[in-house]
Amino acid sequence: MTHNHQHAHDHEGHGHGGHVHAPANFGTRFALGVALNAIFVVIEVVYGLLGNSVALLADAGHNLSDALGLGVAWAAVILAKRKPTSRFTYGLGGTSILAALFNAVFLLVVVGGLTWEALQRLSQPEPVAGKTVMIVAACGIVLNGFCAWLFASGSKGDLNVRGAFMHMASDALVSLGVVVGGLVILLTGWHWIDPAISIVVNVVIVVGTWSLLTGSLTMSLNAVPPGIDMDKVRTFLLDLPGVSDLHDLHVWSLSTTETALSCHLVMPESPPSDETLFHAAEELKEHFGIGHVTLQTEKAPSEAHMATVHNQ
């Protein structure tokens, strides 16, 4: 049995399904986002208690989750840059997947707790300082809108950055809802509007966070990244010159921006040249966003593979 292993890695711009890598300066943006949100949490808690507003406290809770979530995402960015070791042979890029999963779960837990508080307040409305709520929440719209803008450019190509963007965008939405609630309270005196607005906004956040949760969860289970059509990948490999069959085709996420592929190619005539395999790796990167490619060629399927096929 003759085997030929070929590895092709390109570390400039990995992506899922052709998405580009997030900009390298996102570490600074994470630091700025953490600092701004931490300061604003203190401000909202103080005025939320003074104004007796559960919606404003809900906004503070979301901002606290933002500060913690951004901290986790920032740590993942730093760890992902570390070089592979003898134990972590792929490096620590997988921490970005864990960070995205943590952000999704943590945000849903916070939303659940705040919704429960709002439901209790809804049954027994309490006076709310509408003007104070509006002013503080309006500041929150500006802050969270700015932070969301910081991460918007990388939210499509990096699930970890997308998690940060979702946190910021959701809090901007919460702040907008709180402003609307404060205005209605000033105009009508309906204090039940405050918890009602909190509940509605929390539902919207859950809907928006669900895709982040499912995306990070499937990545952690080594599922094929969204946007990659395995049938097309298989067809591409089978169309390579000299390939009669293939087996053990696997595609999975190394991180929120890097995708890997490994496959055994059956080539009965002769093994391909290095140029052919490198060209195949370049095509997989260009058309499917797969940057780490490992191809093994053999003249016939291995006995272990044939035994597996017969036992199925």
Side-chain angles (χ1 to χ4, degrees):
M1 186 71 65
T2 301
H3 298 284
N4 179 36
H5 298 272
Q6 191 70 45
H7 304 269
H9 305 295
D10 187 342
H11 295 282
E12 297 180 359
H14 302 296
H16 296 306
H19 294 311
V20 296
H21 195 293
N25 64 343
F26 267 67
T28 302
R29 302 188 187 193
F30 277 119
L32 182 59
V34 170
L36 291 176
N37 276 276
I39 293 172
F40 194 62
V41 165
V42 176
I43 296 174
E44 283 196 304
V45 169
V46 171
Y47 283 97
L49 294 174
L50 292 176
N52 197 31
S53 171
V54 68
L56 201 56
L57 290 175
D59 201 9
H62 288 302
N63 277 290
L64 176 60
S65 71
D66 286 343
L68 295 175
L70 288 175
V72 172
W74 185 15
V77 169
I78 296 173
L79 291 174
K81 293 180 180 179
R82 292 192 175 183
K83 295 181 179 180
T85 66
S86 58
R87 184 176 185 184
F88 299 99
T89 55
Y90 275 125
L92 295 174
T95 56
S96 60
I97 298 175
L98 297 179
L101 181 59
F102 171 83
N103 271 331
V105 173
F106 188 59
L107 183 57
L108 291 176
V109 170
V110 171
V111 166
L114 293 172
T115 300
W116 175 253
E117 176 64 25
L119 287 172
Q120 292 182 318
R121 184 71 68 89
L122 191 62
S123 61
Q124 296 179 337
E126 298 181 11
V128 177
K131 186 176 181 179
T132 300
V133 168
M134 288 181 62
I135 294 174
V136 177
C139 294
I141 295 176
V142 176
L143 170 70
N144 291 302
F146 172 72
C147 290
W149 173 79
L150 289 177
F151 299 104
S153 62
S155 62
K156 293 184 179 180
D158 186 335
L159 196 66
N160 189 34
V161 176
R162 182 184 170 192
F165 172 77
M166 285 295 299
H167 269 286
M168 298 297 100
S170 68
D171 263 332
L173 181 61
V174 171
S175 296
L176 177 60
V178 175
V179 169
V180 173
L183 178 61
V184 173
I185 291 172
L186 281 177
L187 297 177
T188 65
W190 297 344
H191 296 293
W192 59 267
I193 290 293
D194 182 72
I197 288 290
S198 177
I199 293 172
V200 171
V201 172
N202 285 341
V203 171
V204 174
I205 292 173
V206 169
V207 174
T209 306
W210 192 252
S211 62
L212 176 65
L213 175 65
T214 55
S216 56
L217 184 60
T218 54
M219 277 188 180
S220 66
L221 295 175
N222 291 331
V224 177
I228 294 182
D229 189 326
M230 285 297 287
D231 290 334
K232 291 182 179 180
V233 172
R234 180 181 295 274
T235 299
F236 168 80
L237 293 173
L238 287 173
D239 287 343
L240 293 175
V243 176
S244 64
D245 197 5
L246 61 81
H247 61 91
D248 292 317
L249 172 60
H250 303 287
V251 177
W252 70 100
S253 296
L254 292 175
S255 69
T256 53
T257 60
E258 298 175 296
T259 306
L261 174 148
S262 65
C263 184
H264 291 228
L265 302 177
V266 180
M267 308 185 73
E269 300 300 326
S270 60
S273 64
D274 289 344
E275 289 76 14
T276 299
L277 291 177
F278 279 123
H279 177 70
E282 291 174 355
E283 290 291 305
L284 286 168
K285 179 179 182 296
E286 179 179 352
H287 296 293
F288 302 101
I290 303 174
H292 290 254
V293 176
T294 302
L295 299 174
Q296 175 176 317
T297 62
E298 52 198 37
K299 290 188 175 181
S302 64
E303 295 181 2
H305 169 67
M306 294 302 296
T308 301
V309 172
H310 291 308
N311 289 332
Q312 289 179 345

